Amino acid sequence: MANIDTQRTHFSVSTSTDFTTVKGLTSSTGQSSYRFGSVIVKELIDNALDACETAGIAPQITIGYEHDGTFATWCIADNGNGLSKDTIEKILDFTTRTSDKATYKSPSRGAQGNAFKTILGIPCALGDGYVIIESQGFHHRIKINATESMLLPTDYEVFDIPLVQGTVVKVIMKMARSTEGLYWAQAFAVFNPHIRVKIGYVENLKMTMLTFDSEISETAIFYPIQPDFKKISPADPTNAHSYTDADFNALTCITGSQTKKTIYEFARSFKGTSAKVKAQKITSTIAGKFVADIYTNREIVTALHTAIKLESNPTQHKELGLIGKDNLLARLQNVRRFWYEKESGYIYGFPFIFEVLIAESYDNQGTYFFGINHSPTYSDFLSGVPLVTDKMNGHGIEGLLHEVIDPKNHVVVCHLVCPNLNFKDKGKSSLEIPNAVAKILAAAIGKTAKIIQRELKNNLNAYDKEQREMKRRQQSEKVTMKDAVFSVLADAISKATSDGKYPANVRALYYKVREFVQQHTPEELNYTYFSQNLLIEYWRNNGRNPNIYNDPRGVLHHPHDLFQLPMGTFEVDRYKFPEYRYNKILYIEKKGLCNPIQAAQLPEKYDMALIGGEGYACEAVRILLDRAQTGENYIIFVLHDADPDGYNIARTLQEETARMPNHNITVIDLGLTLQSGLDMKLEGENKKRKKELPSTLELTDDEREFFQGDLIKRSDNKKEWLGKIIELNAMSSDQLIQYVDTGISSALEGLNQPYKIVPPEEILEAEAFDIRTEKLKELAKDRILEELDIEDMVEQLVDSIEFDYQIFTNEVNQYLLEHEFQTWHKGLDVITDNQLSANESVFDEKLSQLIANL
């Protein structure tokens, strides 16, 4: 079958929307100006996910945010194919709407259809700002300046940058500090189990192509990919049954007026009618060759719509993209109990699936996640719709649940997927649905809340009594938080690890400790205080429990292969150093800088492993380095910024700390130093400090003056200094590679150490023997195969052995009952082995006959 072009066309639709005033943008987005930050994040992530899915790429989305007191900066990056220069220039034409979603009907996520124009106009409407787009090797800087005539003159600069996969959009605007970034990251992750999301808040957002390896604060939150999830992609052909006649007429009209598609090509672009025979049958009754010939004739267009529907099947419920309770729960943290319901039906004749989950969770308390077609909405999409059950009633989902949901304990997720929906607002957050459908949705929500509602009624008085008694008991038995934590830690560790059966991370242990500690004190246990102070002291006094691990921060890369080790204590405890693979380790405080060093093959040149870190080395890194040097005599290098923290990173890598009191190794400090940065004429950047540099920090007079800077603020006994720093990122890739290469080679020459590893003679002899033996075996096999027609013998032998395939189903089911952790494929493999063993004598006899006939 010939390739069919099902890629959606970017249509241009006339619009009079005002993109440069708060009033106009509020009308376009359905959101007030204080939520314009949310508009930017949501619409850019929608576009990024569509771009990745259209290209068939597993989506990875990174969200960065900073605020300097006046300007907020949002940075959204994806790993798609990017926006072309031509598309960006079309976006700058504010007399049209540039979109590939304007007229298509599909259960893939929806968007405004004018998102980029909205985003370009927001900084102008808020008073100042601009937008940067980096994609397909171009850097676009766009600033909209509205005039009295509203002709929207644009300051537009574009220049070449290195070609990197994906698109980065950075929006700089006057806006109050936002706290909604984390919500949107989790919301998109909840409704899209197939995507990977990272969000963090950064002091200096000086990134170009923002990726998962870019430096972002250690408080960043990750949402990994959940497997085995499928949904309809924006790249998939749409279904003709998903259009009303009016919808189909609009699509035909815009296709005919703005493209040169034939009716035959148009018919093949729908799901189920791509086959030539079907398309020919459909078009045989339609007068005309091009869509442009018929799009003004409503009767012919309707006949074409009917013909396409007759040759295809409507979208089935199972195709819509059910998220499922397991995928929803995987995105929520520390769920104690949950209730989940799903319903399906039809809205104005179009199939829908509705999912609702209510969970009791220590995290995400009081959060509602509303989503339509795998895209989170700005608000309750049923707001204003009367919802009634036998025991509850209210307007919208929040109104229905307002007396049941406890903001301290519950999180609610509601998702509706349908190929064709009617929205009340331009922001596509509020739906119009029939009363019959409203009853179905209300019933599903009511089922999930049934147990909570009953417990709330039965336990309210008992709970109040218990709380009063607990408060009285706590006041009479006052203990310190430290004493309380230490008294429950052993039991909490046992509970978190199921008595040592499974590993648990520090945060999971924290929740168990927090649960137990309330029996001794009414105070709330802070996670940072617990993880960075109390737990460290407990480990120091009692020894670290190997079943409690810190989550990875950083990655170790082997030279000469693709092996990577996440730098978590769980992983490091189980890691074994490979023999004679490498004998040097370079720790880089910015893990994103591993990429150019790997590309230059410096790890291979020096037989050296790389550790990409995230600022100060975590406990796992220091444990590994301690083992590498004290047990294996590895040479360890460190590369850091020219700033006080960078200098401290080199010091803390080799000196003992409270976390590791007996740690003491030798580290070769490669810098970056202030002098080397100045020698390379690297650009420094300002850095505000609220404290003077500690006198114990070993610095030259020039370094102390450069880093400390000038006193710029003194009020109410508060001081502030404006100093400067030089980051590793200021170096070009060539400079970085040359700097590291020169530093390592000079250090090795000073130590009189070779670049490469050569094992002892006995190891070389044993390895040479093994290599020689394997190569001789391969040579012998090749020569034998050249002389004999082995393939023919194998086929004859396989055809001569009979199998009983019909009994496999029963045997596979029995195998899975006996081996609950295995798969059907493993069961089939074992059963086949058993049958072959039972027929081994027959196999040997047939083989002997074939050999005898040679």
Side-chain angles (χ1 to χ4, degrees), residues 8 104-106 234 236-240 242-243 251 269-272:
R8 298 187 182 183
Y104 292 106
K105 299 297 179 182
S106 171
D236 293 335
T238 59
N239 193 313
S242 298
Y243 296 78
L251 177 63
S269 68
F270 292 92
K271 182 181 179 182

Side-chain angles (χ1 to χ4, degrees), residues 310-357:
L310 288 173
E311 292 298 322
S312 60
N313 296 318
T315 299
Q316 301 299 307
H317 287 93
K318 63 182 180 181
E319 300 174 79
L320 293 177
L322 178 76
I323 299 175
K325 64 180 179 182
D326 291 338
N327 281 327
L328 291 174
L329 289 170
R331 294 305 204 194
L332 305 178
Q333 302 295 317
N334 298 293
V335 172
R336 291 174 287 178
R337 293 191 301 169
F338 71 93
W339 299 270
Y340 170 85
E341 290 290 335
K342 66 176 183 294
E343 290 289 349
S344 60
Y346 294 87
I347 299 177
Y348 298 118
F350 302 108
F352 78 84
I353 292 178
F354 176 71
E355 298 175 82
V356 57
L357 181 142

Side-chain angles (χ1 to χ4, degrees), residues 207-225:
M207 295 163 279
T208 52
M209 299 304 291
L210 181 65
T211 69
F212 274 80
D213 291 330
S214 296
E215 183 190 15
I216 208 163
S217 72
E218 63 186 58
T219 58
I221 296 174
F222 292 81
Y223 297 98
I225 293 172

